[in-house]
Amino acid sequence: MQSRFLLTRELNNQVECCRLHSPLFYPHFHSNLEIYLILSGEIEVLVNDQKKILGVGEFSVALSYDTHGYRTPKEAEAIFLSIPTSFCEEFLSLLSTRCLPSPYLNDPKTYETVQGAMEALLRENNEISRRGLLYVILGAVFDQMTPNTDGVSLANHSFSAEILIYISRHFKEDLSLSQVAKEFGYHPSYLSRYFRKTVGIPFVRYLTMLRLREAVLLLRTENQTVTSCAMESGFGSMRSFYRAFYEEFGCSPKEYLSAEKQKSIDFHSNM
């Protein structure tokens, strides 16, 4: 399965909730938890290796690092919700003992609860109230989970999650595929093939995306030089950083920040 790490989703560390008409998104993954609730029509949803056409009364749940994508055969409407890990750490910590039997849910009571909370989330501006609505949604999803018996069907997904979590904790270091392979007791060539097959991109590409995400976050929020942001994010040299940055964004870091600043000025001047 070919998928891509959605860097833009990672950079926006905010809860996103909106109505979408006839969505089309190619397979991708990120650390956010993502929910699609169908309001009308039908939407073909892919989560990992499971594909299903969902209609009214159904919604999908893609957990952290699940590969997911959406395609609308005909006219349809859905509510989209993306929750960063920083907003649902307690919920995610429970996933070692609980699991969703399926990423597709159609229980009428659960659908009604989640729809009501998402509709309210679209209208609500108060941050405390918004967090309360997120807990309602996460609680409804959690009630549909069953004890994780760590069966064979979950083995590959669990192993992939362990690898991705390990990389997320050590990407700022001088990390290599060989080191990760040694940590998990596998030959580097096997892990390379396994990683590309399950994640959809090479190990080095994924590692670069994590470092770019960190570098951009530091550039946006910290009063540091471009060099210090690059080094702190795990890049071994400025040459490798500039090359990776230009390949991803099509411009230099300074040009990127200038464009971001202009967007902010335009946004506030139009308010």
Side-chain angles (χ1 to χ4, degrees), residues 63 94-102 141-151 153-154 157-158:
L63 301 173
L94 300 171
L95 298 185
S96 60
T97 58
R98 310 279 292 187
C99 67
L100 279 171
S102 168
V141 172
F142 181 78
D143 286 342
Q144 294 299 304
M145 291 183 161
T146 58
N148 185 356
T149 58
D150 201 24
S153 62
L154 295 174
H157 182 67
S158 298

Side-chain angles (χ1 to χ4, degrees), residues 5-140:
F5 181 69
L6 198 62
L7 182 61
T8 53
R9 179 75 70 225
E10 295 285 328
L11 292 175
N12 185 16
N13 190 36
Q14 298 293 328
V15 173
E16 294 182 67
C17 187
C18 62
R19 290 179 182 270
L20 293 176
H21 295 275
S22 302
L24 172 63
F25 293 100
Y26 293 104
H28 60 278
F29 63 95
H30 44 69
S31 64
N32 292 12
L33 184 150
E34 192 167 302
I35 296 176
Y36 258 75
L37 185 137
I38 316 304
L39 296 174
S40 66
E42 294 182 336
I43 298 177
E44 183 181 81
V45 182
L46 167 74
V47 180
N48 293 324
D49 58 349
Q50 299 184 51
K51 184 184 293 184
K52 186 177 180 181
I53 294 180
L54 304 186
V56 180
E58 298 179 294
F59 65 96
S60 65
V61 179
L63 301 173
S64 292
Y65 297 111
D66 280 346
T67 294
H68 51 284
Y70 310 94
R71 185 177 73 88
T72 307
K74 296 181 180 180
E75 192 74 18
E77 183 180 16
I79 301 181
F80 157 78
L81 175 63
S82 178
I83 310 175
T85 53
S86 57
F87 287 79
C88 55
E89 290 181 350
E90 187 176 354
F91 173 83
L92 294 174
S93 68
L94 300 171
L95 298 185
S96 60
T97 58
R98 310 279 292 187
C99 67
L100 279 171
S102 168
Y104 310 114
L105 302 177
N106 58 9
D107 176 69
K109 184 177 180 181
T110 303
Y111 178 89
E112 182 181 355
T113 299
V114 173
Q115 181 187 10
M118 291 176 82
E119 295 274 11
L121 197 60
L122 290 170
R123 303 186 299 267
E124 186 58 63
N125 293 318
N126 182 279
E127 185 61 30
I128 295 178
S129 298
R130 286 175 63 84
R131 283 185 176 269
L133 291 167
L134 291 179
Y135 284 126
V136 170
I137 294 169
L138 293 174

Side-chain angles (χ1 to χ4, degrees), residues 51-262:
K51 184 184 293 184
K52 186 177 180 181
I53 294 180
L54 304 186
V56 180
E58 298 179 294
F59 65 96
S60 65
V61 179
L63 301 173
S64 292
Y65 297 111
D66 280 346
T67 294
H68 51 284
Y70 310 94
R71 185 177 73 88
T72 307
K74 296 181 180 180
E75 192 74 18
E77 183 180 16
I79 301 181
F80 157 78
L81 175 63
S82 178
I83 310 175
T85 53
S86 57
F87 287 79
C88 55
E89 290 181 350
E90 187 176 354
F91 173 83
L92 294 174
S93 68
L94 300 171
L95 298 185
S96 60
T97 58
R98 310 279 292 187
C99 67
L100 279 171
S102 168
Y104 310 114
L105 302 177
N106 58 9
D107 176 69
K109 184 177 180 181
T110 303
Y111 178 89
E112 182 181 355
T113 299
V114 173
Q115 181 187 10
M118 291 176 82
E119 295 274 11
L121 197 60
L122 290 170
R123 303 186 299 267
E124 186 58 63
N125 293 318
N126 182 279
E127 185 61 30
I128 295 178
S129 298
R130 286 175 63 84
R131 283 185 176 269
L133 291 167
L134 291 179
Y135 284 126
V136 170
I137 294 169
L138 293 174
V141 172
F142 181 78
D143 286 342
Q144 294 299 304
M145 291 183 161
T146 58
N148 185 356
T149 58
D150 201 24
V152 176
S153 62
L154 295 174
N156 287 343
H157 182 67
S158 298
F159 179 53
S160 300
E162 288 179 18
I163 293 175
L164 292 172
I165 290 171
Y166 179 83
I167 296 172
S168 70
R169 290 173 176 170
H170 298 278
F171 71 89
K172 295 181 183 181
E173 304 166 14
D174 185 19
L175 193 64
S176 68
L177 179 67
S178 297
Q179 289 173 276
V180 179
K182 183 178 180 180
E183 175 70 22
F184 289 89
Y186 285 88
H187 192 279
S189 61
Y190 170 81
L191 183 60
S192 177
R193 292 193 302 272
Y194 176 87
F195 193 93
R196 182 159 193 152
K197 180 180 179 181
T198 55
V199 177
I201 58 175
F203 169 84
V204 173
R205 172 67 174 163
Y206 179 73
L207 185 62
T208 299
M209 290 297 97
L210 290 183
R211 289 170 173 170
L212 276 177
R213 177 190 67 176
E214 184 68 15
V216 171
L217 291 175
L218 289 174
L219 287 168
R220 283 178 171 180
T221 60
E222 302 291 337
N223 187 23
Q224 298 185 48
T225 64
V226 173
T227 299
S228 63
C229 290
M231 296 297 103
E232 190 174 330
S233 301
F235 285 95
S237 70
M238 291 305 296
R239 182 180 179 182
S240 63
F241 169 69
Y242 278 117
R243 182 174 64 249
F245 197 97
Y246 192 86
E247 287 178 356
E248 181 64 28
F249 298 104
C251 62
S252 70
K254 288 185 178 180
E255 290 171 335
Y256 175 87
L257 289 176
S258 178
E260 287 288 296
K261 183 177 180 181
Q262 187 59 49

